[in-house]
Amino acid sequence: MTIARMAKSLLMAGVMTMAAGTPGRTAAIDVRFAPPDVELPKSAVCTPRVRDEDMIAEWTTWDQKALPKRATFAITRDMNRMRDLDARRFEPIITRIQELMPTVKKNYGETDALFDRVKLMLAKGESDKVREEALVQKLIDIGGHPAGSLNTLADYLIEGRGIAQDKEAGFKLKVQAAYGGNADAILDLARLTEDGQAVEGWEIEPELAVNMAFGSLVGVLDEGICDRISRVAREYDDGEVVVKDPALSMAWYRFAADLGDTAAAWEVAELNLLSEKVVKDNDVLLKYLKKAADGGNMAAILEMGRLYAEGALVPRDKEKAFAYFKQAEAAGNQAGVIKQAQLLEQTKDASPEDAAAYEDLLRRLIARKDPPPWAFTRLARVIQTRDGIWKSAPEVKPLLEEAVKRGDIEGGIDLAELLMREDLSPETIARSTDLLSGAIHINGEINAIAKLQRVYLCMDPAGPDVAASDYWANIEAGAGNKTLDLAPEQIDKLPELKDPMVIAAIQTQALYGRASALALYQRYLKGAGYSDQVLRFWAERAEVRRGATVEAALLEFKQNLEKGRINDAKRSIQMTGEGMTVDAGLSFARFLVNNYATDAESVALAKEILHPLAETGSGRAVRLLQELEGPDMDPLSSPLTRFGDVMRDRGDMSAQLLLAENAASAEERTRLYHQAISTQRCDYDDTMALAEFAIRHEREDVQRWLSIAEHIAGEDAWRQVKIADVFMALNGPDMQKHALDLYQSAREGGEPAAYYRLVKHYADNTRESYDPQKASAIFVELVGRSELQEVPEKLLMLANMKPEIQRQVSQSINVQALYQKAAEAGQPVAMREVAKLLRDDAKDTQSILAAFGWLKKAAEAGDAEAMFLLSQSYAYGLGTRPALDAAQAWMAKAAEAGYPAATQVLKLNNAGTEG
């Protein structure tokens, strides 16, 4: 019985003394009893305790024919532990141990058996039965008990357990037990004496009594010494009897550990690991942690594995970490399997061997008696990654259903996605939204918010529920999870802006592990001049996050592209192999195709980027490869044929649309179209792709996708123009009116393309909407809003307009003066146009000479048409002396710059020469 329980019993019985209106209990006894300074045995002395579950597993599989061959002390200890854990459950085992005890303990007699029987009955709550049979009284009457048994009988009398309460007789027996050397009795009496309670026959001072008790516990060097030493350590850790002293407690645990107690070794290691009560000593920590692990202590085994896995206190060593975790698994510990799985989860994406081992571990984990719910979800994801979302569905769905059944929130999110890939019926939509909203409300899963928004806006065949979608969009923004859409100049100026909310949002998303946010936050930290230590910390986080490196390259690429630095944009493309993301790869490849289509090396690089993406099922990558290979390719070896199977197994939205475009039947095309809807990201690009497909094959859905795209575009003027172009192409009166409204909205947003579309529309005299006044007014407004260097490109439109419009424009702006001003500012197109105006309206030699001068400047500035015209000037002597060599040189440069007329002239010249 502990002193705490005894004190409670005495207090309830009114025995404890009171002083000055407060409980008589005083401070703990201040005694420093240190471990002896002796030479330790070379081999272990103790019989270490094993974990309760291991002990139970052994005894519950015991055949009960004979007691195990081990120390009697260890058998008795296990019997007592089972009795304290669950006397009713383990009664058959305990009873059988008692029956067989005489076979291993020769002096185990009837009195011992009666004592064990009484202890078992009391542990089962049968105190009344013990009292009725007078079993405790019978033991008292037998007499001649050792000190420990006397103390037990004393406690029964004091508490009234199994016998009528008799405190006086109980304390008399406790005093006998104390003088007989029983440590529990001595400590109980010392505590009572320290608290001011007088006990007849006990005259020993508390401090001396504690020393006696602890000395009694240390006793002889036998197999039970470590249990007794650990008792001393616990007293100094608890502070119930003696003043709390963590350092002294650890000293006693170390003493027990050095004698072979692995449980005590773990106590030493844990005290240092937590470093809350003692000053951490890593050398001591590692020494005793390894001692505990080597002795089979499960907590220590798992901790050693963790240290090697993380590289904390010891060098990172994956193999040693696995060895410890496998040791735990071999001992039947599920955490060992889980830890192995967690370790492999970090490397499975980069190593096929680790991916296979990870899958095997998860399968073993879910086959166990009580597997963790998340294991079903992780296994489902592994199978999806390996086989593709479409091919794997029959195997994955039951796993996710089981994960949901067991309460795994992430499994519910994945199941919602899978269900919607199967069909988009009202029942499926209802269950999927329930799963997603449950993940948000129950577990606060932020990622589920965007998915729920996507369902309401883009997935439900009943049409977009804009109000519900906006509600969840606002929730996502409030949670700081919405991806920040920053303009290039904002990104460059982040360090100067010092906006704590924006920086906090980027940092939060970087901590989530979002690759784009990691790239952006690292760029900010570098620009803000943070220390190398901080930069290194975030660089290490980015290294383990798949795609973070390529996202940094993509960010740099987009910054250069937005600023017109084409060559710098090309240099910023990084071939990162396994780190290439689909979005980044497509951006890089499309850029190379658009800007370097005639450069074989750039085209080869684009193909090198696209092939791995096509192998993942990216439809856009396959489509771009088809563009690169051209219309004359062999259909049997085309990208569509080569990557058809992978698109069917794991293809994304664009892959489903590409397959649908080439489907063998209308039914197959419709099925693939629905699959595309279920896998879309619900962003502008995907909804526009669906709209374009619908125009050709599903006309009734066109307006749905365009309205969703319009909602997503918001006030983005360029996207408004692109959406309006589709509406305009549909040709209906209502569609045309809506397109004009969108063009007007984009015009108000300052988008030049909107001005072009409106001018072209009102300047077309074949339409009923022909309106020269409106066309000229919009054109004049466009020129007025343009920067000087952009004006010449705008003015070129005027030459193709009707004379009436040209006349009205010339009444508002001086076209020649604007060209002249831009030319003087160094704009090549303006130089060329000024030259053409001077030459076409030449009234004297001076004008012709001036025209030649502007042409030469424009040509030298890189304008292809100017090169062609300059070549003609040299050939015919317009404004200069004829110079055939110069004419030929500039004609070649014009052709090299891509001017079609120059290319044609050179072809004719070469044909004439060859003839």
Side-chain angles (χ1 to χ4, degrees), residues 862-875:
D863 185 83
E865 185 182 350
M867 295 175 188
F868 176 76
L869 295 174
L870 183 63
S871 172
Q872 289 183 327
S873 294
Y874 276 119

PDB file of all heavy atoms in Angstrom, residues 862-875:
ATOM      1  N   GLY A 862      16.657  46.306 -85.985  1.00  0.00           N
ATOM      2  CA  GLY A 862      16.125  44.944 -86.024  1.00  0.00           C
ATOM      3  C   GLY A 862      14.776  44.790 -86.662  1.00  0.00           C
ATOM      4  O   GLY A 862      14.205  43.692 -86.619  1.00  0.00           O
ATOM      5  N   ASP A 863      14.214  45.826 -87.272  1.00  0.00           N
ATOM      6  CA  ASP A 863      12.897  45.709 -87.893  1.00  0.00           C
ATOM      7  C   ASP A 863      13.031  45.023 -89.251  1.00  0.00           C
ATOM      8  O   ASP A 863      13.729  45.513 -90.149  1.00  0.00           O
ATOM      9  CB  ASP A 863      12.265  47.089 -88.068  1.00  0.00           C
ATOM     10  CG  ASP A 863      10.848  46.989 -88.607  1.00  0.00           C
ATOM     11  OD1 ASP A 863       9.934  46.767 -87.787  1.00  0.00           O
ATOM     12  OD2 ASP A 863      10.669  47.119 -89.835  1.00  0.00           O
ATOM     13  N   ALA A 864      12.364  43.870 -89.434  1.00  0.00           N
ATOM     14  CA  ALA A 864      12.532  43.041 -90.632  1.00  0.00           C
ATOM     15  C   ALA A 864      12.024  43.737 -91.892  1.00  0.00           C
ATOM     16  O   ALA A 864      12.660  43.684 -92.954  1.00  0.00           O
ATOM     17  CB  ALA A 864      11.812  41.708 -90.427  1.00  0.00           C
ATOM     18  N   GLU A 865      10.830  44.370 -91.800  1.00  0.00           N
ATOM     19  CA  GLU A 865      10.286  45.041 -92.986  1.00  0.00           C
ATOM     20  C   GLU A 865      11.202  46.181 -93.412  1.00  0.00           C
ATOM     21  O   GLU A 865      11.400  46.420 -94.616  1.00  0.00           O
ATOM     22  CB  GLU A 865       8.877  45.557 -92.693  1.00  0.00           C
ATOM     23  CG  GLU A 865       8.215  46.155 -93.938  1.00  0.00           C
ATOM     24  CD  GLU A 865       6.825  46.719 -93.671  1.00  0.00           C
ATOM     25  OE1 GLU A 865       6.291  46.480 -92.573  1.00  0.00           O
ATOM     26  OE2 GLU A 865       6.285  47.411 -94.560  1.00  0.00           O
ATOM     27  N   ALA A 866      11.756  46.887 -92.422  1.00  0.00           N
ATOM     28  CA  ALA A 866      12.676  47.985 -92.743  1.00  0.00           C
ATOM     29  C   ALA A 866      13.909  47.447 -93.466  1.00  0.00           C
ATOM     30  O   ALA A 866      14.442  48.098 -94.386  1.00  0.00           O
ATOM     31  CB  ALA A 866      13.080  48.722 -91.470  1.00  0.00           C
ATOM     32  N   MET A 867      14.389  46.285 -93.066  1.00  0.00           N
ATOM     33  CA  MET A 867      15.546  45.671 -93.752  1.00  0.00           C
ATOM     34  C   MET A 867      15.201  45.423 -95.220  1.00  0.00           C
ATOM     35  O   MET A 867      16.020  45.672 -96.125  1.00  0.00           O
ATOM     36  CB  MET A 867      15.910  44.342 -93.071  1.00  0.00           C
ATOM     37  CG  MET A 867      16.411  44.466 -91.644  1.00  0.00           C
ATOM     38  SD  MET A 867      16.652  42.816 -90.917  1.00  0.00           S
ATOM     39  CE  MET A 867      16.981  43.238 -89.203  1.00  0.00           C
ATOM     40  N   PHE A 868      13.992  44.892 -95.474  1.00  0.00           N
ATOM     41  CA  PHE A 868      13.562  44.607 -96.839  1.00  0.00           C
ATOM     42  C   PHE A 868      13.479  45.894 -97.660  1.00  0.00           C
ATOM     43  O   PHE A 868      13.977  45.964 -98.799  1.00  0.00           O
ATOM     44  CB  PHE A 868      12.201  43.909 -96.800  1.00  0.00           C
ATOM     45  CG  PHE A 868      11.609  43.653 -98.154  1.00  0.00           C
ATOM     46  CD1 PHE A 868      12.086  42.622 -98.964  1.00  0.00           C
ATOM     47  CD2 PHE A 868      10.566  44.442 -98.634  1.00  0.00           C
ATOM     48  CE1 PHE A 868      11.531  42.388-100.218  1.00  0.00           C
ATOM     49  CE2 PHE A 868      10.015  44.200 -99.885  1.00  0.00           C
ATOM     50  CZ  PHE A 868      10.492  43.175-100.686  1.00  0.00           C
ATOM     51  N   LEU A 869      12.858  46.929 -97.092  1.00  0.00           N
ATOM     52  CA  LEU A 869      12.722  48.207 -97.804  1.00  0.00           C
ATOM     53  C   LEU A 869      14.082  48.866 -98.012  1.00  0.00           C
ATOM     54  O   LEU A 869      14.319  49.507 -99.057  1.00  0.00           O
ATOM     55  CB  LEU A 869      11.798  49.141 -97.011  1.00  0.00           C
ATOM     56  CG  LEU A 869      10.339  48.672 -96.897  1.00  0.00           C
ATOM     57  CD1 LEU A 869       9.555  49.607 -95.962  1.00  0.00           C
ATOM     58  CD2 LEU A 869       9.676  48.603 -98.268  1.00  0.00           C
ATOM     59  N   LEU A 870      14.982  48.730 -97.030  1.00  0.00           N
ATOM     60  CA  LEU A 870      16.331  49.309 -97.170  1.00  0.00           C
ATOM     61  C   LEU A 870      17.075  48.618 -98.306  1.00  0.00           C
ATOM     62  O   LEU A 870      17.815  49.265 -99.072  1.00  0.00           O
ATOM     63  CB  LEU A 870      17.087  49.163 -95.854  1.00  0.00           C
ATOM     64  CG  LEU A 870      18.489  49.783 -95.814  1.00  0.00           C
ATOM     65  CD1 LEU A 870      18.416  51.309 -96.008  1.00  0.00           C
ATOM     66  CD2 LEU A 870      19.177  49.477 -94.477  1.00  0.00           C
ATOM     67  N   SER A 871      16.874  47.287 -98.405  1.00  0.00           N
ATOM     68  CA  SER A 871      17.503  46.538 -99.507  1.00  0.00           C
ATOM     69  C   SER A 871      17.041  47.098-100.856  1.00  0.00           C
ATOM     70  O   SER A 871      17.853  47.285-101.780  1.00  0.00           O
ATOM     71  CB  SER A 871      17.130  45.059 -99.385  1.00  0.00           C
ATOM     72  OG  SER A 871      17.559  44.356-100.529  1.00  0.00           O
ATOM     73  N   GLN A 872      15.746  47.395-100.984  1.00  0.00           N
ATOM     74  CA  GLN A 872      15.222  47.965-102.225  1.00  0.00           C
ATOM     75  C   GLN A 872      15.812  49.342-102.500  1.00  0.00           C
ATOM     76  O   GLN A 872      16.113  49.694-103.652  1.00  0.00           O
ATOM     77  CB  GLN A 872      13.702  48.042-102.140  1.00  0.00           C
ATOM     78  CG  GLN A 872      12.996  46.691-102.211  1.00  0.00           C
ATOM     79  CD  GLN A 872      11.488  46.843-102.199  1.00  0.00           C
ATOM     80  OE1 GLN A 872      10.952  47.750-101.566  1.00  0.00           O
ATOM     81  NE2 GLN A 872      10.790  45.949-102.925  1.00  0.00           N
ATOM     82  N   SER A 873      15.971  50.130-101.430  1.00  0.00           N
ATOM     83  CA  SER A 873      16.541  51.470-101.585  1.00  0.00           C
ATOM     84  C   SER A 873      17.950  51.381-102.140  1.00  0.00           C
ATOM     85  O   SER A 873      18.348  52.174-103.026  1.00  0.00           O
ATOM     86  CB  SER A 873      16.544  52.201-100.242  1.00  0.00           C
ATOM     87  OG  SER A 873      15.228  52.442 -99.800  1.00  0.00           O
ATOM     88  N   TYR A 874      18.749  50.441-101.624  1.00  0.00           N
ATOM     89  CA  TYR A 874      20.116  50.265-102.142  1.00  0.00           C
ATOM     90  C   TYR A 874      20.084  49.753-103.579  1.00  0.00           C
ATOM     91  O   TYR A 874      20.910  50.133-104.418  1.00  0.00           O
ATOM     92  CB  TYR A 874      20.901  49.277-101.259  1.00  0.00           C
ATOM     93  CG  TYR A 874      21.528  49.927-100.035  1.00  0.00           C
ATOM     94  CD1 TYR A 874      21.176  49.524 -98.761  1.00  0.00           C
ATOM     95  CD2 TYR A 874      22.503  50.921-100.196  1.00  0.00           C
ATOM     96  CE1 TYR A 874      21.737  50.095 -97.646  1.00  0.00           C
ATOM     97  CE2 TYR A 874      23.083  51.510 -99.076  1.00  0.00           C
ATOM     98  CZ  TYR A 874      22.705  51.105 -97.804  1.00  0.00           C
ATOM     99  OH  TYR A 874      23.280  51.688 -96.711  1.00  0.00           O
ATOM    100  N   ALA A 875      19.118  48.903-103.876  1.00  0.00           N
ATOM    101  CA  ALA A 875      19.051  48.323-105.216  1.00  0.00           C
ATOM    102  C   ALA A 875      18.676  49.380-106.263  1.00  0.00           C
ATOM    103  O   ALA A 875      19.224  49.398-107.378  1.00  0.00           O
ATOM    104  CB  ALA A 875      18.048  47.176-105.229  1.00  0.00           C
TER     105      ALA A 875
END
